[in-house]
Amino acid sequence: TKIYDYYIIYATGPKNYDEIMSKIKVQNENVKIEKYIYNMEEVMNIVDLIVCRSGAMTITEIANVGKPAIFIPFPFATENHQEYNAKVLERVGAAKIILDKNLTDDGLNQQINEMIKDRNTLIQMGEKANRVSIVNVEEKIYLEIKNCL
């Protein structure tokens, strides 16, 4: 088992948890696997790098907390919207994208390791993410829906 210089928290989602846990051969003290993270904003605030899919609210949350990210867009999202979402932060230098079809264990590991080693770049990427954040997005969505009723 290789021990890395970082800690991973992996949220599988309730549907995939049992399947993923049954496939894991080696337990590693640097990896914590959860069905769901209920305090996601709190977790995002303390991590150095986020690796995730790229739904609209996820992109918004990441920008709001000012964190760098590696996005793996869900390839079956309607009209490929997750890839387009991810490109918003990629274009400003706040994120990297790995398409699902190009995702490999080694490739993801390499990307994470390269980014984690360069603390200054992580900080700059987080600042760039925060510059494009939309504050009070939940309130804006609520008001938009209310105006439509």
Side-chain angles (χ1 to χ4, degrees), residues 8-120:
I8 296 171
I9 303 170
Y10 177 27
T12 65
K15 292 180 184 178
N16 300 324
Y17 180 79
D18 292 331
E19 177 187 349
I20 288 168
M21 291 303 289
S22 71
K23 291 179 181 179
I24 294 182
K25 306 283 190 261
V26 179
Q27 295 296 322
N28 184 319
E29 65 187 38
N30 290 53
V31 178
K32 182 176 182 180
I33 300 171
E34 299 285 344
K35 282 184 185 178
Y36 190 80
I37 297 174
Y38 292 95
N39 58 334
M40 185 60 78
E41 183 177 356
E42 181 180 327
V43 170
M44 284 183 172
N45 273 302
I46 62 172
V47 302
D48 294 316
L49 174 66
I50 299 169
V51 180
C52 60
R53 296 292 192 185
S54 46
M57 287 306 292
T58 300
I59 299 285
T60 301
E61 290 169 341
I62 289 170
N64 285 343
V65 297
K67 295 295 175 172
I70 298 172
F71 293 118
I72 305 162
F74 182 62
F76 305 107
T78 305
E79 296 180 11
N80 201 29
H81 78 268
Q82 285 207 5
E83 186 175 341
Y84 294 113
N85 293 344
K87 286 181 179 182
V88 170
L89 290 183
E90 181 190 48
R91 275 193 291 272
V92 297
K96 305 283 184 184
I97 298 173
I98 301 174
L99 296 179
D100 210 79
K101 66 183 179 184
N102 300 329
L103 181 64
T104 64
D105 294 347
D106 289 338
L108 179 58
N109 245 342
Q110 181 180 354
Q111 185 70 67
I112 291 170
N113 282 313
E114 285 175 13
M115 292 174 75
I116 290 293
K117 287 177 186 175
D118 189 351
R119 185 109 184 107
N120 288 333

Side-chain angles (χ1 to χ4, degrees), residues 115-131:
M115 292 174 75
I116 290 293
K117 287 177 186 175
D118 189 351
R119 185 109 184 107
N120 288 333
T121 298
L122 284 178
I123 291 168
Q124 291 170 2
M125 290 175 76
E127 290 169 353
K128 290 174 182 177
N130 196 249
R131 279 188 220 131

Side-chain angles (χ1 to χ4, degrees), residues 123-142:
I123 291 168
Q124 291 170 2
M125 290 175 76
E127 290 169 353
K128 290 174 182 177
N130 196 249
R131 279 188 220 131
V132 296
S133 72
I134 301 170
V135 294
N136 300 323
V137 71
E138 295 88 356
E139 179 70 17
K140 290 175 182 176
I141 292 170
Y142 167 75

